[in-house]
Coordinates of all heavy atoms in Angstrom, one line a residue:
M103 N 5.7 -9.4 8.8 CA 5.4 -8.7 7.6 C 4.7 -9.7 6.7 O 5.3 -10.8 6.4 CB 6.7 -8.2 7.0 CG 6.5 -7.2 5.9 SD 8.0 -6.3 5.4 CE 7.9 -4.9 6.4
A104 N 3.5 -9.3 6.2 CA 2.8 -10.2 5.3 C 3.0 -9.7 3.9 O 3.1 -8.6 3.6 CB 1.3 -10.1 5.7
A105 N 3.0 -10.7 3.0 CA 3.2 -10.4 1.5 C 1.8 -10.4 0.9 O 1.1 -11.4 0.8 CB 4.0 -11.5 0.9
L106 N 1.3 -9.2 0.7 CA 0.0 -9.0 0.0 C 0.1 -9.3 -1.5 O 1.1 -9.0 -2.1 CB -0.4 -7.5 0.2 CG -0.6 -7.0 1.6 CD1 -0.9 -5.5 1.6 CD2 -1.6 -7.8 2.4
T107 N -1.0 -10.0 -2.0 CA -1.0 -10.3 -3.4 C -2.0 -9.3 -4.1 O -3.0 -8.9 -3.4 CB -1.4 -11.7 -3.7 OG1 -2.7 -12.0 -3.0 CG2 -0.4 -12.7 -3.1
A108 N -1.8 -9.0 -5.3 CA -2.7 -8.1 -6.0 C -3.9 -8.9 -6.6 O -3.6 -10.0 -7.3 CB -2.0 -7.3 -7.1
T109 N -5.1 -8.5 -6.5 CA -6.2 -9.0 -7.2 C -6.3 -8.3 -8.6 O -6.4 -7.0 -8.6 CB -7.5 -8.8 -6.4 OG1 -7.3 -9.5 -5.2 CG2 -8.7 -9.4 -7.2
V110 N -6.2 -9.0 -9.7 CA -6.4 -8.3 -11.0 C -7.9 -8.1 -11.2 O -8.7 -9.1 -11.3 CB -5.8 -9.2 -12.1 CG1 -5.9 -8.6 -13.4 CG2 -4.3 -9.4 -11.8
M111 N -8.2 -6.9 -11.4 CA -9.7 -6.6 -11.6 C -10.1 -6.7 -13.0 O -9.5 -6.1 -13.9 CB -9.9 -5.1 -11.1 CG -9.6 -4.8 -9.7 SD -10.5 -5.9 -8.5 CE -12.1 -5.3 -8.6
P112 N -11.1 -7.6 -13.3 CA -11.6 -7.7 -14.6 C -12.3 -6.5 -15.1 O -12.8 -5.7 -14.2 CB -12.5 -8.9 -14.6 CG -12.9 -8.9 -13.2 CD -11.8 -8.4 -12.3
L113 N -12.5 -6.2 -16.4 CA -13.2 -5.1 -16.8 C -14.6 -5.1 -16.4 O -15.3 -4.1 -16.3 CB -13.1 -5.0 -18.4 CG -11.7 -4.8 -18.9 CD1 -11.7 -4.8 -20.5 CD2 -11.2 -3.5 -18.4
T114 N -15.1 -6.3 -16.0 CA -16.6 -6.3 -15.6 C -16.7 -6.0 -14.1 O -17.7 -6.0 -13.5 CB -17.1 -7.7 -15.8 OG1 -16.2 -8.7 -15.2 CG2 -17.2 -8.0 -17.3
G115 N -15.5 -5.8 -13.4 CA -15.5 -5.5 -11.9 C -15.5 -6.8 -11.1 O -15.8 -7.9 -11.6
A116 N -15.2 -6.7 -9.8 CA -15.1 -7.8 -8.9 C -15.2 -7.3 -7.5 O -14.8 -6.2 -7.2 CB -13.9 -8.6 -9.2
A117 N -15.5 -8.2 -6.6 CA -15.5 -7.8 -5.2 C -14.0 -7.8 -4.7 O -13.2 -8.5 -5.2 CB -16.2 -8.9 -4.4
V118 N -13.8 -6.9 -3.8 CA -12.4 -6.7 -3.2 C -12.4 -7.4 -1.9 O -13.3 -7.2 -1.0 CB -12.1 -5.3 -3.0 CG1 -10.7 -5.1 -2.4 CG2 -12.1 -4.6 -4.4
T119 N -11.4 -8.3 -1.6 CA -11.2 -9.0 -0.3 C -10.2 -8.3 0.5 O -9.0 -8.1 0.0 CB -10.9 -10.4 -0.6 OG1 -11.9 -11.0 -1.4 CG2 -10.7 -11.2 0.7
Y120 N -10.5 -7.9 1.6 CA -9.6 -7.2 2.5 C -9.0 -8.2 3.6 O -9.7 -9.1 3.9 CB -10.3 -6.0 3.3 CG -10.6 -4.8 2.4 CD1 -11.7 -4.8 1.6 CD2 -9.7 -3.7 2.4 CE1 -11.9 -3.7 0.7 CE2 -10.0 -2.6 1.6 CZ -11.1 -2.6 0.8 OH -11.3 -1.5 0.0
T121 N -7.8 -7.9 4.0 CA -7.2 -8.6 5.1 C -6.7 -7.6 6.2 O -6.5 -6.5 5.9 CB -6.0 -9.4 4.5 OG1 -5.5 -10.3 5.6 CG2 -4.9 -8.6 4.0
A122 N -6.5 -8.1 7.4 CA -6.0 -7.2 8.4 C -4.6 -6.8 8.1 O -3.7 -7.5 7.7 CB -6.0 -8.0 9.8
A123 N -4.3 -5.5 8.4 CA -3.0 -5.0 8.2 C -2.1 -5.6 9.3 O -2.4 -5.8 10.4 CB -3.0 -3.5 8.5
A124 N -0.9 -6.0 8.9 CA 0.1 -6.7 9.7 C 0.8 -5.7 10.6 O 1.3 -4.7 10.2 CB 1.1 -7.5 8.9
G125 N 0.9 -6.1 11.9 CA 1.6 -5.2 12.9 C 3.0 -4.9 12.5 O 3.5 -3.8 12.8
G126 N 3.7 -5.8 11.9 CA 5.1 -5.5 11.4 C 5.2 -4.9 10.1 O 6.3 -4.8 9.5
G127 N 4.0 -4.6 9.5 CA 4.0 -4.1 8.1 C 3.8 -5.1 7.1 O 3.6 -6.3 7.4
D128 N 3.6 -4.7 5.9 CA 3.3 -5.6 4.7 C 4.2 -5.2 3.6 O 4.8 -4.2 3.5 CB 1.8 -5.4 4.3 CG 0.8 -5.9 5.3 OD1 0.9 -7.0 5.8 OD2 -0.1 -5.1 5.7
T129 N 4.2 -6.2 2.6 CA 4.8 -5.9 1.3 C 3.8 -6.1 0.2 O 2.8 -6.8 0.4 CB 6.0 -6.8 1.0 OG1 5.6 -8.1 0.9 CG2 7.1 -6.6 2.1
A130 N 4.0 -5.4 -0.9 CA 3.1 -5.5 -2.0 C 3.8 -5.3 -3.3 O 4.8 -4.8 -3.4 CB 2.0 -4.3 -1.9
P131 N 3.1 -5.9 -4.4 CA 3.7 -5.7 -5.7 C 3.6 -4.2 -6.1 O 2.8 -3.5 -5.5 CB 2.8 -6.6 -6.6 CG 1.6 -6.8 -5.8 CD 1.9 -6.7 -4.4
T132 N 4.4 -3.8 -7.1 CA 4.3 -2.4 -7.5 C 4.0 -2.4 -9.0 O 4.1 -3.4 -9.7 CB 5.7 -1.8 -7.3 OG1 6.6 -2.4 -8.1 CG2 6.1 -1.8 -5.8
G133 N 3.7 -1.2 -9.6 CA 3.6 -1.1 -11.0 C 2.5 -0.2 -11.4 O 1.7 0.3 -10.5
V134 N 2.3 0.0 -12.7 CA 1.2 0.8 -13.2 C -0.1 0.1 -13.0 O -0.2 -1.0 -13.1 CB 1.4 1.0 -14.7 CG1 0.2 1.8 -15.3 CG2 2.7 1.7 -15.0
G135 N -1.0 0.9 -12.4 CA -2.4 0.3 -12.1 C -2.5 -0.4 -10.8 O -3.5 -1.0 -10.5
V136 N -1.4 -0.4 -9.9 CA -1.5 -1.1 -8.7 C -1.9 -0.1 -7.6 O -1.4 1.0 -7.5 CB -0.2 -1.7 -8.3 CG1 -0.2 -2.4 -6.9 CG2 0.3 -2.8 -9.3
L137 N -3.0 -0.5 -6.9 CA -3.5 0.4 -5.8 C -3.5 -0.4 -4.5 O -4.0 -1.5 -4.5 CB -4.9 0.8 -6.1 CG -5.1 1.9 -7.2 CD1 -6.6 2.1 -7.4 CD2 -4.4 3.2 -6.9
L138 N -3.1 0.2 -3.4 CA -3.3 -0.3 -2.1 C -4.5 0.4 -1.5 O -4.6 1.6 -1.5 CB -2.1 0.1 -1.2 CG -2.2 -0.2 0.3 CD1 -2.2 -1.7 0.6 CD2 -1.1 0.4 1.1
L139 N -5.5 -0.4 -1.2 CA -6.7 0.1 -0.6 C -6.7 -0.1 0.9 O -6.3 -1.2 1.4 CB -7.9 -0.7 -1.2 CG -8.1 -0.7 -2.7 CD1 -9.3 -1.5 -3.1 CD2 -8.2 0.7 -3.2
V140 N -6.9 0.9 1.7 CA -6.8 0.9 3.1 C -8.2 1.4 3.7 O -8.6 2.4 3.4 CB -5.7 1.8 3.6 CG1 -5.6 1.8 5.1 CG2 -4.4 1.5 3.0
K141 N -8.7 0.5 4.6 CA -9.9 0.9 5.4 C -9.5 1.1 6.8 O -8.9 0.2 7.4 CB -11.0 -0.2 5.3 CG -11.8 -0.3 4.0 CD -12.9 -1.4 4.2 CE -13.6 -1.6 3.0 NZ -14.7 -2.6 3.1
N142 N -9.9 2.2 7.4 CA -9.6 2.5 8.8 C -10.9 2.4 9.5 O -11.7 3.4 9.5 CB -8.9 3.9 8.9 CG -8.7 4.2 10.4 OD1 -8.9 3.4 11.3 ND2 -8.2 5.4 10.6
G143 N -11.2 1.3 10.2 CA -12.4 1.2 11.0 C -12.2 1.6 12.4 O -13.2 1.4 13.3
D144 N -11.1 2.3 12.8 CA -10.8 2.7 14.1 C -11.4 4.1 14.4 O -11.9 4.8 13.4 CB -9.3 2.8 14.3 CG -8.9 2.7 15.8 OD1 -9.7 2.5 16.6 OD2 -7.7 3.0 16.0
S145 N -11.5 4.5 15.6 CA -12.0 5.8 16.0 C -11.0 6.9 15.9 O -11.4 8.1 16.0 CB -12.5 5.7 17.5 OG -11.5 5.4 18.3
G146 N -9.8 6.6 15.5 CA -8.8 7.6 15.3 C -8.1 7.5 14.0 O -8.2 6.4 13.4
S147 N -7.5 8.5 13.5 CA -6.8 8.4 12.2 C -5.5 7.6 12.4 O -5.0 7.5 13.5 CB -6.5 9.9 11.7 OG -5.6 10.5 12.5
H148 N -5.0 7.1 11.3 CA -3.8 6.3 11.2 C -3.0 6.7 10.1 O -3.5 7.2 9.1 CB -4.1 4.8 11.2 CG -4.6 4.2 12.5 ND1 -3.9 4.2 13.6 CD2 -5.8 3.7 12.7 CE1 -4.6 3.7 14.6 NE2 -5.8 3.4 14.1
T149 N -1.6 6.5 10.1 CA -0.7 6.8 9.0 C -0.2 5.5 8.4 O 0.2 4.6 9.1 CB 0.4 7.7 9.5 OG1 -0.1 8.9 10.1 CG2 1.4 8.0 8.4
V150 N -0.3 5.5 7.1 CA 0.2 4.4 6.3 C 1.5 5.0 5.6 O 1.4 6.1 5.0 CB -0.8 3.9 5.2 CG1 -0.2 2.9 4.3 CG2 -2.0 3.4 5.9
T151 N 2.6 4.3 5.7 CA 3.9 4.8 5.1 C 4.4 3.8 4.0 O 4.5 2.6 4.3 CB 4.9 5.0 6.1 OG1 4.4 5.9 7.1 CG2 6.2 5.5 5.5
L152 N 4.6 4.3 2.8 CA 5.2 3.5 1.7 C 6.7 3.9 1.8 O 7.1 5.1 1.6 CB 4.7 3.9 0.4 CG 3.3 3.2 0.2 CD1 2.3 4.3 -0.2 CD2 3.4 2.1 -0.9
V153 N 7.6 3.0 2.0 CA 9.0 3.2 2.0 C 9.5 3.5 0.6 O 9.2 2.7 -0.3 CB 9.7 2.0 2.7 CG1 11.3 2.2 2.7 CG2 9.2 1.7 4.1
T154 N 10.3 4.5 0.5 CA 10.9 4.9 -0.8 C 12.4 4.5 -0.8 O 13.1 5.2 -0.1 CB 10.7 6.4 -1.1 OG1 9.4 6.8 -0.9 CG2 11.2 6.7 -2.5
P155 N 12.8 3.4 -1.4 CA 14.2 3.0 -1.4 C 15.0 4.0 -2.4 O 14.4 4.6 -3.2 CB 14.1 1.6 -2.0 CG 12.9 1.6 -2.8 CD 11.9 2.5 -2.2
G156 N 16.3 4.0 -2.1 CA 17.1 4.7 -3.0 C 17.5 6.1 -2.5 O 17.1 6.5 -1.5
T157 N 18.5 6.7 -3.2 CA 19.0 7.9 -2.9 C 19.1 8.8 -4.2 O 19.1 8.3 -5.3 CB 20.4 7.8 -2.3 OG1 21.3 7.2 -3.2 CG2 20.3 7.0 -1.0
V158 N 19.3 10.1 -4.0 CA 19.6 11.0 -5.0 C 20.8 11.8 -4.5 O 20.7 12.5 -3.5 CB 18.4 12.0 -5.3 CG1 18.8 13.1 -6.3 CG2 17.2 11.2 -5.8
N159 N 21.9 11.8 -5.2 CA 23.1 12.4 -4.8 C 23.5 12.0 -3.4 O 24.0 12.9 -2.7 CB 23.1 13.9 -5.0 CG 22.9 14.3 -6.5 OD1 23.5 13.7 -7.4 ND2 22.1 15.3 -6.8
G160 N 23.3 10.8 -3.0 CA 23.7 10.3 -1.7 C 22.7 10.7 -0.6 O 22.9 10.3 0.6
L161 N 21.6 11.4 -1.0 CA 20.6 11.7 0.1 C 19.4 10.7 -0.1 O 18.9 10.5 -1.2 CB 20.1 13.1 -0.1 CG 21.2 14.2 0.0 CD1 20.6 15.6 -0.4 CD2 21.8 14.2 1.4
A162 N 18.9 10.3 1.1 CA 17.8 9.4 1.1 C 16.5 10.1 0.6 O 16.3 11.3 0.8 CB 17.5 8.8 2.5
I163 N 15.7 9.3 -0.2 CA 14.5 9.9 -0.7 C 13.5 9.7 0.4 O 13.4 8.6 1.0 CB 14.0 9.1 -2.0 CG1 15.1 9.3 -3.0 CG2 12.7 9.7 -2.4 CD1 14.8 8.3 -4.2
A164 N 12.7 10.7 0.7 CA 11.7 10.7 1.8 C 10.6 9.6 1.5 O 10.2 9.4 0.4 CB 11.1 12.0 2.0
D165 N 10.2 8.9 2.6 CA 9.1 8.0 2.4 C 7.8 8.8 2.3 O 7.7 9.9 2.7 CB 9.0 7.1 3.7 CG 10.2 6.2 3.9 OD1 10.9 6.0 2.9 OD2 10.4 5.8 5.0
R166 N 6.8 8.1 1.7 CA 5.5 8.7 1.5 C 4.5 8.3 2.6 O 4.3 7.1 2.9 CB 4.9 8.3 0.2 CG 3.4 8.6 0.1 CD 2.9 9.5 -1.0 NE 3.8 9.8 -2.1 CZ 4.1 11.0 -2.5 NH1 3.5 12.0 -1.9 NH2 4.8 11.2 -3.6
A167 N 4.1 9.3 3.5 CA 3.2 9.0 4.6 C 1.8 9.6 4.2 O 1.7 10.7 3.8 CB 3.7 9.7 5.8
I168 N 0.8 8.7 4.3 CA -0.6 9.0 4.0 C -1.4 8.9 5.3 O -1.5 7.8 5.9 CB -1.1 8.1 2.9 CG1 -0.3 8.3 1.6 CG2 -2.6 8.4 2.6 CD1 0.7 7.2 1.4
S169 N -2.1 9.9 5.6 CA -3.1 9.8 6.7 C -4.4 9.3 6.3 O -4.9 9.8 5.3 CB -3.2 11.2 7.3 OG -4.1 11.2 8.5
V170 N -4.9 8.4 7.1 CA -6.2 7.8 6.8 C -7.1 8.1 8.0 O -6.9 7.7 9.1 CB -6.1 6.3 6.6 CG1 -7.5 5.7 6.2 CG2 -5.1 5.9 5.5
A171 N -8.1 9.0 7.7 CA -9.0 9.4 8.8 C -9.8 8.3 9.4 O -10.1 7.3 8.7 CB -9.9 10.5 8.2
A172 N -10.3 8.5 10.6 CA -11.2 7.5 11.2 C -12.4 7.2 10.3 O -13.0 8.1 9.8 CB -11.6 8.0 12.6
G173 N -12.7 5.9 10.1 CA -13.8 5.6 9.3 C -13.6 5.8 7.8 O -14.6 5.5 7.0
A174 N -12.5 6.1 7.3 CA -12.3 6.4 5.9 C -11.6 5.2 5.2 O -11.1 4.3 5.8 CB -11.4 7.6 5.8
E175 N -11.8 5.3 3.9 CA -11.1 4.3 3.0 C -10.4 5.1 1.9 O -10.9 6.1 1.4 CB -12.2 3.4 2.3 CG -11.6 2.4 1.4 CD -12.6 1.4 0.8 OE1 -13.8 1.5 1.2 OE2 -12.3 0.6 0.0
V176 N -9.1 4.8 1.7 CA -8.3 5.5 0.7 C -7.7 4.5 -0.3 O -7.4 3.3 0.1 CB -7.2 6.4 1.3 CG1 -7.8 7.4 2.2 CG2 -6.2 5.5 2.1
G177 N -7.4 4.9 -1.5 CA -6.7 4.2 -2.5 C -5.3 4.9 -2.7 O -5.3 6.1 -2.9
I178 N -4.3 4.1 -2.6 CA -2.9 4.7 -2.7 C -2.2 4.0 -3.9 O -2.0 2.8 -3.8 CB -2.1 4.5 -1.4 CG1 -2.9 5.1 -0.2 CG2 -0.7 5.0 -1.5 CD1 -2.3 4.6 1.2
P179 N -1.8 4.7 -4.9 CA -1.0 4.1 -6.0 C 0.3 3.6 -5.4 O 1.0 4.3 -4.7 CB -0.8 5.3 -7.0 CG -1.8 6.3 -6.6 CD -2.0 6.2 -5.1
V180 N 0.7 2.4 -5.9 CA 1.9 1.8 -5.5 C 2.7 1.6 -6.8 O 2.9 0.6 -7.4 CB 1.7 0.4 -4.8 CG1 3.0 -0.1 -4.2 CG2 0.7 0.5 -3.7
T181 N 3.3 2.7 -7.2 CA 4.2 2.8 -8.4 C 5.5 2.1 -8.2 O 5.9 1.8 -7.0 CB 4.4 4.3 -8.8 OG1 5.1 4.9 -7.8 CG2 3.0 5.0 -9.0
N182 N 6.2 2.0 -9.3 CA 7.6 1.4 -9.1 C 8.6 2.3 -8.4 O 9.6 1.8 -8.1 CB 8.1 1.1 -10.6 CG 7.4 -0.2 -11.1 OD1 7.0 -1.1 -10.4 ND2 7.2 -0.1 -12.5
D183 N 8.2 3.5 -8.1 CA 9.1 4.3 -7.2 C 9.3 3.7 -5.9 O 10.3 4.0 -5.2 CB 8.5 5.7 -7.0 CG 8.3 6.5 -8.3 OD1 9.2 6.3 -9.2 OD2 7.4 7.3 -8.4
Y184 N 8.3 2.8 -5.4 CA 8.4 2.2 -4.1 C 9.0 0.8 -4.2 O 9.1 0.1 -3.2 CB 7.0 2.2 -3.5 CG 6.4 3.6 -3.4 CD1 5.4 3.9 -4.2 CD2 7.0 4.5 -2.5 CE1 4.8 5.2 -4.2 CE2 6.4 5.8 -2.5 CZ 5.4 6.1 -3.3 OH 4.8 7.4 -3.3
R185 N 9.4 0.4 -5.3 CA 9.9 -1.0 -5.5 C 11.3 -1.1 -5.0 O 12.3 -0.5 -5.4 CB 9.9 -1.4 -7.0 CG 10.4 -2.8 -7.3 CD 10.3 -3.0 -8.8 NE 10.6 -4.4 -9.1 CZ 11.8 -4.9 -9.2 NH1 12.8 -4.2 -9.0 NH2 11.9 -6.2 -9.5
N186 N 11.5 -2.0 -4.0 CA 12.8 -2.3 -3.4 C 13.5 -3.2 -4.4 O 13.1 -4.3 -4.7 CB 12.6 -3.0 -2.0 CG 14.0 -3.3 -1.4 OD1 14.9 -3.6 -2.0 ND2 13.9 -3.1 -0.1
P187 N 14.7 -2.8 -4.9 CA 15.4 -3.6 -5.9 C 15.8 -5.0 -5.4 O 15.9 -5.9 -6.2 CB 16.6 -2.8 -6.2 CG 16.6 -1.5 -5.4 CD 15.4 -1.6 -4.5
S188 N 16.0 -5.1 -4.1 CA 16.4 -6.5 -3.6 C 15.2 -7.5 -3.4 O 15.4 -8.6 -3.5 CB 17.2 -6.3 -2.2 OG 16.3 -5.8 -1.2
T189 N 14.0 -6.9 -3.2 CA 12.9 -7.8 -3.0 C 11.9 -7.7 -4.2 O 11.1 -8.6 -4.3 CB 12.1 -7.5 -1.7 OG1 11.5 -6.1 -1.9 CG2 13.0 -7.5 -0.5
G190 N 11.9 -6.7 -5.0 CA 11.0 -6.5 -6.1 C 9.6 -6.1 -5.6 O 8.7 -6.1 -6.3
R191 N 9.5 -5.7 -4.3 CA 8.2 -5.3 -3.7 C 8.3 -4.0 -2.9 O 9.4 -3.6 -2.6 CB 7.7 -6.5 -2.7 CG 7.5 -7.8 -3.5 CD 7.1 -8.9 -2.6 NE 5.9 -8.7 -1.9 CZ 4.7 -9.0 -2.5 NH1 4.6 -9.4 -3.7 NH2 3.5 -8.8 -1.8
A192 N 7.1 -3.4 -2.7 CA 7.1 -2.2 -1.8 C 6.9 -2.6 -0.4 O 6.2 -3.6 -0.1 CB 5.9 -1.4 -2.2
A193 N 7.6 -1.9 0.5 CA 7.4 -2.1 2.0 C 6.4 -1.0 2.5 O 6.5 0.2 2.2 CB 8.7 -2.0 2.7
I194 N 5.5 -1.5 3.3 CA 4.4 -0.7 3.8 C 4.4 -0.8 5.3 O 4.4 -2.0 5.9 CB 3.0 -1.1 3.2 CG1 3.1 -1.1 1.7 CG2 1.9 -0.2 3.8 CD1 2.0 -2.0 1.0
T195 N 4.3 0.3 6.0 CA 4.2 0.2 7.5 C 3.0 1.0 7.9 O 2.5 1.9 7.2 CB 5.5 0.8 8.2 OG1 5.7 2.1 7.8 CG2 6.7 0.0 7.8
Y196 N 2.6 0.8 9.2 CA 1.4 1.5 9.7 C 1.8 2.0 11.1 O 2.5 1.3 11.9 CB 0.2 0.5 9.8 CG 0.0 -0.3 8.6 CD1 0.6 -1.7 8.5 CD2 -0.7 0.1 7.5 CE1 0.4 -2.4 7.4 CE2 -0.9 -0.7 6.4 CZ -0.3 -1.9 6.3 OH -0.5 -2.7 5.2
D197 N 1.3 3.1 11.5 CA 1.6 3.6 12.9 C 0.8 2.8 13.9 O 1.2 2.7 15.0 CB 1.2 5.1 13.0 CG -0.2 5.5 12.9 OD1 -1.0 4.6 12.4 OD2 -0.6 6.5 13.5
A198 N -0.3 2.2 13.5 CA -1.1 1.2 14.3 C -1.9 0.4 13.4 O -2.2 0.8 12.2 CB -1.9 2.0 15.3
V199 N -2.3 -0.8 13.8 CA -3.1 -1.6 12.9 C -4.5 -1.9 13.5 O -5.3 -2.7 12.9 CB -2.4 -2.9 12.6 CG1 -1.1 -2.7 11.8 CG2 -2.1 -3.7 13.8
T200 N -4.9 -1.3 14.6 CA -6.2 -1.5 15.2 C -7.3 -1.2 14.1 O -7.4 0.0 13.6 CB -6.4 -0.6 16.4 OG1 -5.4 -1.0 17.3 CG2 -7.8 -0.9 17.1
S201 N -8.1 -2.1 13.8 CA -9.2 -2.0 12.8 C -8.8 -1.5 11.5 O -9.6 -0.9 10.8 CB -10.3 -1.0 13.5 OG -10.8 -1.6 14.7
M202 N -7.6 -1.8 11.1 CA -7.1 -1.4 9.7 C -7.1 -2.7 8.9 O -6.5 -3.7 9.3 CB -5.6 -0.9 9.8 CG -5.5 0.4 10.6 SD -6.0 1.8 9.6 CE -4.6 1.9 8.5
T203 N -7.7 -2.5 7.7 CA -7.7 -3.6 6.7 C -7.2 -3.1 5.4 O -7.3 -1.9 5.1 CB -9.1 -4.3 6.5 OG1 -10.1 -3.2 6.2 CG2 -9.6 -5.0 7.8
V204 N -6.6 -4.0 4.6 CA -6.0 -3.6 3.4 C -6.2 -4.6 2.3 O -6.5 -5.8 2.5 CB -4.4 -3.4 3.6 CG1 -4.1 -2.3 4.5 CG2 -3.8 -4.7 4.1
A205 N -6.1 -4.1 1.1 CA -6.2 -5.0 -0.1 C -5.3 -4.3 -1.2 O -5.1 -3.1 -1.2 CB -7.6 -5.1 -0.6
V206 N -4.9 -5.2 -2.1 CA -4.1 -4.6 -3.3 C -4.8 -5.1 -4.5 O -5.2 -6.3 -4.7 CB -2.6 -5.1 -3.3 CG1 -1.9 -4.6 -4.5 CG2 -1.9 -4.8 -2.0
I207 N -5.1 -4.1 -5.4 CA -5.7 -4.5 -6.7 C -4.8 -3.9 -7.8 O -4.1 -3.0 -7.7 CB -7.1 -3.9 -6.8 CG1 -7.1 -2.4 -6.7 CG2 -8.0 -4.5 -5.7 CD1 -8.5 -1.8 -7.1
R208 N -4.9 -4.6 -8.9 CA -4.3 -4.1 -10.2 C -5.4 -3.9 -11.2 O -6.2 -4.8 -11.5 CB -3.3 -5.2 -10.7 CG -2.5 -4.7 -11.9 CD -1.5 -5.8 -12.4 NE -0.6 -6.2 -11.4 CZ 0.6 -5.6 -11.2 NH1 0.9 -4.6 -11.8 NH2 1.4 -6.1 -10.2
V209 N -5.5 -2.7 -11.7 CA -6.5 -2.3 -12.6 C -6.0 -2.3 -14.0 O -4.8 -1.9 -14.2 CB -7.2 -1.0 -12.2 CG1 -7.9 -1.1 -10.9 CG2 -6.2 0.1 -12.3
P210 N -6.8 -2.6 -15.0 CA -6.3 -2.6 -16.4 C -6.0 -1.1 -16.8 O -6.7 -0.2 -16.4 CB -7.5 -3.1 -17.2 CG -8.5 -3.7 -16.3 CD -8.2 -3.1 -14.9
V211 N -4.9 -1.0 -17.5 CA -4.5 0.4 -18.0 C -4.4 0.4 -19.4 O -4.3 -0.6 -20.1 CB -3.2 0.8 -17.3 CG1 -3.4 1.1 -15.8 CG2 -2.1 -0.2 -17.5

């Protein structure tokens, strides 16, 4: 599991640097204005899952699964709802990592 760092985007804009999605999953910071950017360069769609820690009345909160179509790029908000209290970070998993690249950015709010 790789610990992704957030690139703070200046108001003037900046290039985004992507890294390969880790086979065992990744972790990322959370918060207002934090986005996980996912590029799927594979010929098939893939699912990115943000683990939702916690419970409501003893019931687990469902994880958020996002489908990323072949050749597509998506931005996924990584709000504090996904923050694991023990690590302070969001856990992210992938159904496969073939040709999947990711980046985390924090935009000014």
Side-chain angles (χ1 to χ4, degrees):
M103 193 169 267
L106 303 173
T107 58
T109 299
V110 178
M111 299 305 288
L113 293 176
T114 55
V118 176
T119 302
Y120 286 82
T121 187
D128 292 311
T129 65
T132 66
V134 176
V136 176
L137 290 175
L138 172 67
L139 305 177
V140 181
K141 282 186 184 182
N142 179 3
D144 200 9
S145 60
S147 66
H148 289 295
T149 301
V150 177
T151 302
L152 286 126
V153 176
T154 308
T157 60
V158 175
N159 295 323
L161 301 172
I163 302 169
D165 296 339
R166 167 122 13 231
I168 299 98
S169 181
V170 183
E175 180 175 357
V176 299
I178 304 166
V180 187
T181 64
N182 285 327
D183 295 330
Y184 305 108
R185 185 179 185 277
N186 182 320
S188 64
T189 65
R191 298 177 63 81
I194 304 158
T195 61
Y196 314 96
D197 69 337
V199 294
T200 303
S201 300
M202 296 281 286
T203 56
V204 294
V206 178
I207 62 169
R208 183 181 305 272
V209 297
V211 291

